[in-house]
Amino acid sequence: MEFRRITSLPPYVFTIIDNLKVEARRAGEDIVDLGFGNPDLASPDLAVEKLVEAARNPRNHRYSSSRGLPKLREAVSALYKRRFDVDLDPETQVLNTIGAKEGFAHLMWVLLQPGDAALVPSPSYPIHRYSPLFAGAEVREMPFTLDGDFIGMLREGWEYSWPRPRVIVLSFPHNPTTACVDLQFMEEVVAFARERDVILVHDFAYADLGFDGYEPPSIMQVPGAEEVAVELYSMTKSFSMAGWRVAFMVGSAEVIAALTKLKSYLDYGSFQPIQIAATVTLNEAVDYPTEVREIYQHRRDALCDGLNRIGWSIQPPKGTMFAWAPIPEPYRSMGSIEFASMLVREANVAVSPGIGFGPGGEDHVRFALIENEQRIAQAVRHMRNVLVDLEV
């Protein structure tokens, strides 16, 4: 039988490293896992307590609303006002999604169809590249570098794309490159979109993970953005609630209404106790993202300082929970899969091969800051013993 919608999907290269990690652990090896970006920090106690309390109430065991409970959408509006001084109508401009990946993928079904195109950075988070393909559209990749001219790359990508993209995918702070932008960039990209009648989709997964005083801007801070943009805000990293699958799409009322209509056919929303717990957390655990950010910044410092000490030159990221590291020159010819495989087998350290994020990632690997500082120091020591050709 032919499964036509998925036959064009390449093998998920991250499983190569994951399988090596599993094999090594079965053999008794202690693997420091800096690969999969799965937050290790506990969710807020308040969220867990409220979840348990709500789950004990049988009235919450029934179907919920695919839009999200009204009080939950109001809490998101309050967060945007508090954090970004942005006014959102919770009735028309906020939608609860079952995680950011679900929201993003279904949004592409709404915005794109065969014959359309989306402009997506490369490298990028895999769902950003493949969701337009799931919708039957084409993907136009714009090469993307940490120190590049983002607006210039966007303009060039647009000019050389045919058909003209109906959607431009953005995500800052960026996974995997960790690139960050300022509000002026957001202003320029909104003006660009308004001139060309294109929809901007901004995945704001790392909204609260800016380091050294850097505050990631929301695209919704730009006047007029609500006409051409939607933004995904997730509780996964900011509140360390990955398994809860709670995210929100905010922005253009027209786009929100279209996705709401599709979701009414697809789901009845998240389990209601999860929505209740998320509401209380957004309203009452307002300082939790600050605590999370400080932890990740200490881990970033431990990793980047350690790598630079052993001769692996890396620029500390200004945001995200990752570090995007160029493969050291003596090992670059190996490619990212072989290099990452070597680190698992010989150094007992798991990282993500850059090629898994698209062609622009082949010369890099991604570290996820999901182990504590002591474990990160252990990983650095192991890599120093293996990467003997580095110049210290």
Side-chain angles (χ1 to χ4, degrees):
M1 180 179 293
E2 182 182 4
F3 301 97
R4 288 172 293 179
R5 193 172 292 278
I6 63 171
T7 50
S8 61
L9 287 177
Y12 205 55
V13 300
F14 304 117
T15 60
I16 298 172
I17 305 304
D18 193 55
N19 290 339
L20 288 173
K21 178 181 68 181
V22 170
E23 291 172 9
R25 283 178 169 166
R26 284 175 178 166
E29 300 292 343
D30 178 20
I31 304 296
V32 182
D33 188 0
L34 303 176
F36 184 33
N38 191 6
D40 65 312
L41 305 177
S43 303
D45 290 340
L46 177 68
V48 177
E49 291 163 5
K50 184 56 66 171
L51 173 67
V52 172
E53 177 187 322
R56 287 195 170 120
N57 186 338
R59 288 180 299 177
N60 293 324
H61 297 177
R62 306 177 70 184
Y63 290 134
S64 188
S65 166
S66 63
R67 296 174 61 202
L69 297 174
K71 288 188 179 299
L72 176 57
R73 287 182 276 116
E74 289 170 8
V76 174
S77 296
L79 178 145
Y80 264 75
K81 184 63 177 178
R82 185 171 65 243
R83 282 275 284 109
F84 307 111
D85 196 25
V86 169
D87 293 306
L88 295 172
D89 182 346
E91 279 299 304
T92 62
Q93 291 185 294
V94 181
L95 176 66
N96 179 213
T97 64
I98 307 175
K101 289 177 76 171
E102 177 270 319
F104 187 92
H106 287 153
L107 178 65
M108 294 301 110
W109 289 13
V110 169
L111 297 178
L112 299 168
Q113 63 184 14
D116 293 334
L119 191 59
V120 182
S122 182
S124 66
Y125 187 49
I127 198 69
H128 293 167
R129 297 169 57 231
Y130 290 110
S131 286
L133 297 176
F134 295 155
E138 298 182 35
V139 171
R140 299 287 180 261
E141 294 183 323
M142 47 181 172
F144 197 75
T145 59
L146 184 59
D147 55 356
D149 173 10
F150 303 144
I151 288 293
M153 287 185 277
L154 187 153
R155 291 182 183 277
E156 184 176 343
W158 172 271
E159 294 298 333
Y160 286 95
S161 293
W162 192 260
R164 290 282 189 249
R166 296 192 72 224
V167 171
I168 296 174
V169 176
L170 302 170
S171 183
F172 295 102
H174 185 250
N175 177 16
T177 70
T178 74
C180 295
V181 298
D182 56 17
L183 187 57
Q184 182 181 343
F185 169 87
M186 292 300 190
E187 293 168 347
E188 291 183 40
V189 79
V190 167
F192 180 92
R194 295 181 73 182
E195 291 169 7
R196 292 162 178 79
D197 192 28
V198 64
I199 295 295
L200 303 171
V201 179
H202 183 226
D203 187 348
F204 204 20
Y206 307 99
D208 297 293
L209 294 187
F211 306 136
D212 305 320
Y214 169 68
E215 294 288 345
S218 163
I219 200 168
M220 304 315 302
Q221 290 175 266
V222 180
E226 70 278 0
E227 299 171 17
V228 294
V230 288
E231 182 167 80
L232 279 154
Y233 179 92
S234 169
M235 297 186 75
T236 292
K237 278 76 180 184
S238 298
F239 292 88
S240 201
M241 293 170 65
W244 300 59
R245 311 313 301 139
V246 183
F248 311 94
M249 188 167 292
V250 306
S252 165
E254 184 178 12
V255 175
I256 295 291
L259 182 57
T260 300
K261 184 175 183 179
L262 177 66
K263 279 177 62 65
S264 70
Y265 282 86
L266 296 176
D267 68 71
Y268 291 105
S270 301
F271 185 41
Q272 190 153 293
I274 291 178
Q275 295 190 50
I276 294 169
T279 303
V280 174
T281 301
L282 287 170
N283 287 332
E284 299 184 21
V286 294
D287 294 329
Y288 196 81
T290 301
E291 299 173 23
V292 169
R293 181 177 66 237
E294 291 175 356
I295 291 170
Y296 282 124
Q297 181 165 332
H298 288 310
R299 293 178 178 186
R300 176 208 65 169
D301 293 344
L303 176 68
C304 294
D305 291 349
L307 291 179
N308 282 313
R309 266 198 316 273
I310 68 172
W312 187 341
S313 180
I314 181 173
Q315 179 180 339
K318 290 170 56 180
T320 78
M321 55 180 289
F322 305 109
W324 185 239
I327 298 173
E329 186 60 44
Y331 304 93
R332 194 159 297 173
S333 62
M334 297 174 69
S336 61
I337 294 178
E338 186 179 349
F339 180 73
S341 298
M342 180 187 72
L343 290 184
V344 176
R345 288 193 300 261
E346 300 183 25
N348 285 356
V349 176
V351 299
S352 294
I355 191 63
F357 303 97
E362 174 64 337
D363 290 338
H364 289 71
V365 292
R366 191 196 71 179
F367 290 88
L369 304 174
I370 56 169
E371 296 263 19
N372 63 40
E373 294 165 60
Q374 292 72 32
R375 294 280 286 169
I376 289 172
Q378 176 184 329
V380 170
R381 289 195 300 272
H382 289 182
M383 289 187 289
R384 178 190 59 197
N385 294 335
V386 170
L387 303 176
V388 295
D389 292 333
L390 295 181
E391 295 183 8
V392 182

